[in-house]
Amino acid sequence: MRIKSQEDFWAGLMFIGFGILAIFVARGYPMGSAMRMGPGYFPTYLGAISVVLGAILTGRSYRVDGEGTGRWGLRALLWLSAAFAGFGLLIEAAGFVFALLALIVASSLAGRDTRPLELALLIVVLIAGSVGLFVYGLELPYRLFPWS
């Protein structure tokens, strides 16, 4: 069987890999319920959805013609990986807000055409939305700041 769309094939494998990784990392966290989500609920279900979507995309790559993968975006890969790792390392020590700030700024370095005003607006909207959703809406036990 020949791969007709390399883009879909590699994207599908990436979704499957990240989904399995999310499920593996969240295996030790309490699941909770849909009404009272535990720390493992969101990554487990998001990982399962990612695995299913990846399997669909990989299967589709054998039937639908597509383009080749071209050059790999190494800059984006490195900055995004550093952004997520930095968020994970900073959230306990620096608090949710500063970890998000570092995540957004490091993620913006993955692209080449980020404008400062757009980045500032994105920082304000994403931090306000994330704090509202995760800390106040879902009541996840994150410290907002290192001093709180």
Side-chain angles (χ1 to χ4, degrees), residues 78-131:
L78 293 176
W79 275 112
L80 291 176
S81 298
F84 289 119
F87 178 79
L89 293 172
L90 283 174
I91 194 164
E92 286 292 323
F96 191 62
V97 171
F98 288 120
L100 273 176
L101 177 67
L103 172 73
I104 296 166
V105 170
S107 297
S108 73
L109 295 173
R112 296 184 188 276
D113 54 350
T114 303
R115 298 183 185 130
L117 183 62
E118 291 174 352
L119 179 61
L121 183 63
L122 186 67
I123 288 170
V124 170
V125 170
L126 286 179
I127 289 177
S130 296
V131 167

Side-chain angles (χ1 to χ4, degrees), residues 12-128:
L13 287 184
M14 181 188 70
F15 276 106
I16 290 170
F18 282 130
I20 290 170
L21 180 65
I23 293 168
F24 178 77
V25 169
R27 75 187 188 289
Y29 298 137
M31 285 291 288
S33 66
M35 291 300 292
R36 192 88 180 149
M37 293 180 198
Y41 190 91
F42 191 69
T44 300
Y45 281 102
L46 194 60
I49 290 170
S50 180
V51 169
V52 170
L53 289 176
I56 291 169
L57 202 56
T58 303
R60 182 177 182 262
S61 72
Y62 289 101
R63 289 182 278 139
V64 178
D65 288 325
E67 298 178 16
T69 53
R71 287 185 54 203
W72 286 65
L74 195 58
R75 175 190 172 104
L77 180 68
L78 293 176
W79 275 112
L80 291 176
S81 298
F84 289 119
F87 178 79
L89 293 172
L90 283 174
I91 194 164
E92 286 292 323
F96 191 62
V97 171
F98 288 120
L100 273 176
L101 177 67
L103 172 73
I104 296 166
V105 170
S107 297
S108 73
L109 295 173
R112 296 184 188 276
D113 54 350
T114 303
R115 298 183 185 130
L117 183 62
E118 291 174 352
L119 179 61
L121 183 63
L122 186 67
I123 288 170
V124 170
V125 170
L126 286 179
I127 289 177

